[in-house]
Amino acid sequence: MLESFRASNFASFKDEIYITTLCNSSRKELIKTNTFECRNNRYNKVTYIFGANGSGKTNLFLALNKLRQIIVMSTVIGSKSNKILEVPIIKKELNSPIENFKFDSDSKYKPTLFGVDIIIDEILYSYEFEILDGKIISELLTKKNKRKEVLIKRTSPSFEDIILRSDLAKFKSNVNVVRENSLCLAMAALLNNKLANDIINEIMGIDIINMANMNGNTRFNEENTNEEFIQRYLDILKSVDPTVKNLIIDLKENGDIPIDEDDEFQSKDVIIKNIRVDVSSVHDVYKEHKKVSEVELPFLKYESNGTIKLFGILPSIFEALDTGGVLFIDELENGLHPLVVEFIIKLFNDTSINPKNAQLICSTHNTLLLEKCRRDQVWFMDKNEYGESKLSRLSDFLNIRKNDNISEKYLKGVFGAIPKF
């Protein structure tokens, strides 16, 4: 599970941007439905990010995706596979500088920081690193159960300046494989250090979706297209299109590398396998309202854009709910009816459907959601005249009464993070 994420000197984030799912313990509203307990703390199941267009909301998702890409690139570098290294998009990624903050003359000389706090088996792991000109400047991994313990401490690009302790001490004999442009934790995982593998898998298991760029079939695989999953998809799709009686999903492997250079959210680990997904929907054909036959139609051609988007995110939603995973969705309501969005939120808040405490972090403009959540679930992204994005939490605002209309106050600009016409 995810406790928090942070980044600095990236895109519109000059200073450190920080978001957490940790609850404000003084707030008791909706505590049984919207939160869950872990490590003697309470955490939100759903977290919302509001903000004007261009405020930097998407940059938060891009920052998390960039952290994951750097992990993947570290393993690619470490694998020394010429075939993979020669893939054009991989070469482009390796040669691309980090998109640092552009509106300060000193930012290009400063490192970019990414950090994530995750919980595995009731233990908090905090991992962060700084990168400048493609080199890892620092790297820190700590573990906290009853007390805080440093597992990795790196103070320069050189492997000679890496200190390893406890569960990572076994990697000392191989630490020389860590290059100046690769992460120590990723290399330890590549060489089968168990804890490193667990942490990397937890981070890479976070799913990130950009609803504005959904094509309806990117999340399907052999595991989530069996009869059980198809029935789960149907149960939901029938509520938005009652004519859909069945789905036929056909997976076909291609030999080409499935990377879209224009999709900044696409994880580079998709180079491992290219699967084309063909989806057809089955509908009844009637004569005078009596069924006479069936017709099979190409799903992506005949269904609405909203239905296609809903269908496209269902595998990720069920994956998170079934495993207790973490799902990031940018522009959740993009193409979806407000009641569909509300239904998705209810899936995560329903203990019977979400017994493993899956988490959803989403950006949205749907102000109706502000009236059905805890105040510590809501974050506002705002950008100032200097191009700096800032995050603030609704629960940190003073003089907000329990019965206040939060949606109305937000649209009036009380919390900022709205267009200024």
Side-chain angles (χ1 to χ4, degrees), residues 370-402:
L370 288 169
E371 303 305 324
K372 301 176 182 180
C373 65
R374 293 168 50 84
R375 297 181 191 183
D376 57 15
Q377 290 181 255
V378 180
W379 297 76
F380 299 114
M381 184 78 77
D382 208 354
K383 184 187 284 185
N384 63 23
E385 60 186 297
Y386 305 105
E388 303 166 351
S389 293
K390 307 284 185 180
L391 259 182
S392 55
R393 201 176 196 180
L394 176 57
S395 57
D396 291 335
F397 282 85
L398 303 177
N399 301 321
I400 303 297
R401 294 186 293 271
K402 183 177 181 179

Side-chain angles (χ1 to χ4, degrees), residues 291-310:
K291 180 180 176 180
V292 294
S293 62
E294 292 182 343
V295 62
E296 184 179 318
L297 301 174
F299 187 84
L300 300 182
K301 180 179 179 180
Y302 284 92
E303 288 296 336
S304 71
N305 183 53
T307 302
I308 291 171
K309 287 189 175 186
L310 174 61

